[in-house]
Amino acid sequence: MNIARIDVVTISQLGRTVALVAALVGPAACSSDAQTSATDRTSSTTEEWPNSMVVLGHSGATGYNSDPANPGSDAIQNSWATGDNPQVDSIYARALAQNPALEGNNFNLAVDGSTVSDLPRQVDAALALAPLPDLFIIQAIDNDIRCDGTDHENYEPYGAAMSDVLASINAGAPDAQIFVVGLWATVENYTDVTQQIPAAIRDNQGGGPCDVFDASGNKLPEVMTYFQDVIDHYQAQLNAACDSVATCVYAGDAIRNMVITADDLTADTYHLAIAGQAKMANTAWTALVE
């Protein structure tokens, strides 16, 4: 599978989830209202909701290729995290409905092709923003996957670098919440969907460690298992890095298990179309506030 594809979310640690909900929604999170739709819920105060937010990462967060009128370009209006396209109903849009003071403070500093080594520059830029974000969202992993047989050598260095990134955010914005996501969908789900797309088959065959199709376009179960194992190891490192910072919530399983369809993918099949961005926004929001 081409590793330029995009990423993924679940709440894996209940204690930190409760802490994040308390910080974002306050006492209302313990009421029956917390089970209602986020966009329908009203709050008696806006103080618990972010006044400023930022997303860091790669093209998964920039809405890349999701605007049919401008293919091959970023479309930050469609970003699941900070976009303002009502068809997506992003994290920003949902939080804005709770706190009007957030309007216009939806910063997108993600850069296409970024790896974990690029995140420190994005963090520096985020910490210089005014107002200083009190919600940091990070979408990471994809471009760090090598799929050349050496990923096992990269797991720990990746985790250490991500730990440094999160520590920098925590030091510069100690009261901010950090929400971290990894890869969307499972390898099995992605392979099942793209098996019906000739261009995707061509892009994901060739005999490499992560090429999930053979020369005839048939699925290779052993490769799919290997690729999922590689992804899971990176996800585990991301989870551990987040666990080292009290204000961080890792979102892994919910978006990893987010079921995609062909309609959710852009023409390149490695990015989320508007429908997929909306699905990701909804899944991530649920993980963030419940």
Side-chain angles (χ1 to χ4, degrees):
M1 184 185 294
N2 187 314
I3 58 173
R5 54 159 303 226
I6 315 213
D7 335 326
V8 182
V9 203
T10 204
I11 294 301
S12 61
Q13 293 159 352
L14 180 59
R16 290 211 318 274
T17 302
V18 171
L20 177 62
V21 172
L24 286 179
V25 298
C30 299
S31 72
S32 60
D33 284 348
Q35 305 303 315
T36 64
S37 168
T39 51
D40 292 338
R41 187 167 56 237
T42 58
S43 174
S44 59
T45 177
T46 61
E47 293 180 359
E48 298 87 354
W49 297 88
N51 292 308
S52 178
M53 62 180 293
V54 64
V55 64
L56 313 177
H58 51 59
S59 57
T62 65
Y64 178 81
N65 212 24
S66 64
D67 183 356
N70 294 285
S73 301
D74 289 344
I76 60 173
Q77 72 275 13
N78 296 333
S79 170
W80 65 271
T82 59
D84 57 10
N85 182 348
Q87 290 180 277
V88 173
D89 199 16
S90 68
I91 300 296
Y92 164 70
R94 295 168 189 243
L96 177 62
Q98 308 303 320
N99 180 17
L102 178 60
E103 185 170 7
N105 296 327
N106 52 327
F107 302 105
N108 193 319
L109 300 182
V111 178
D112 301 345
S114 292
T115 66
V116 69
S117 64
D118 297 305
L119 290 178
R121 289 187 291 275
Q122 297 181 25
V123 170
D124 288 345
L127 293 175
L129 291 170
L132 181 67
D134 37 30
L135 174 60
F136 286 72
I137 299 175
I138 302 177
Q139 187 168 11
I141 294 180
D142 297 62
N143 299 306
D144 291 280
I145 300 176
R146 297 173 175 178
C147 273
D148 61 0
T150 67
D151 278 296
H152 64 283
E153 300 172 359
N154 194 39
Y155 298 145
E156 291 188 6
Y158 171 83
M162 185 57 69
S163 293
D164 289 344
V165 166
L166 300 181
S168 294
I169 294 173
N170 188 240
D175 296 325
Q177 294 297 320
I178 306 171
F179 186 62
V180 178
V181 308
L183 290 136
W184 45 256
T186 62
V187 172
E188 181 178 12
N189 177 203
Y190 179 82
T191 304
D192 286 344
V193 170
T194 56
Q195 191 177 23
Q196 311 305 317
I197 305 173
I201 294 176
R202 291 194 298 271
D203 288 343
N204 292 289
Q205 61 186 182
C210 299
D211 289 326
V212 294
F213 298 114
D214 66 16
S216 299
N218 299 311
K219 294 187 295 185
L220 295 170
E222 67 278 12
V223 174
M224 294 166 60
T225 299
Y226 168 80
F227 195 10
Q228 188 65 65
D229 183 66
V230 168
I231 292 170
D232 290 346
H233 274 85
Y234 280 102
Q235 298 265 71
Q237 290 291 331
L238 187 60
N239 189 6
C242 188
D243 194 37
S244 68
V245 177
T247 57
C248 183
V249 167
Y250 165 72
D253 294 341
I255 288 185
R256 176 186 183 275
N257 294 327
M258 186 180 83
V259 178
I260 61 166
T261 68
D263 290 339
D264 294 325
L265 300 176
T266 60
D268 62 23
T269 73
Y270 300 127
H271 297 85
L272 293 176
I274 290 175
Q277 296 283 344
K279 185 175 291 186
M280 178 116 173
N282 189 61
T283 306
W285 178 260
T286 300
L288 183 61
V289 302
E290 292 187 353

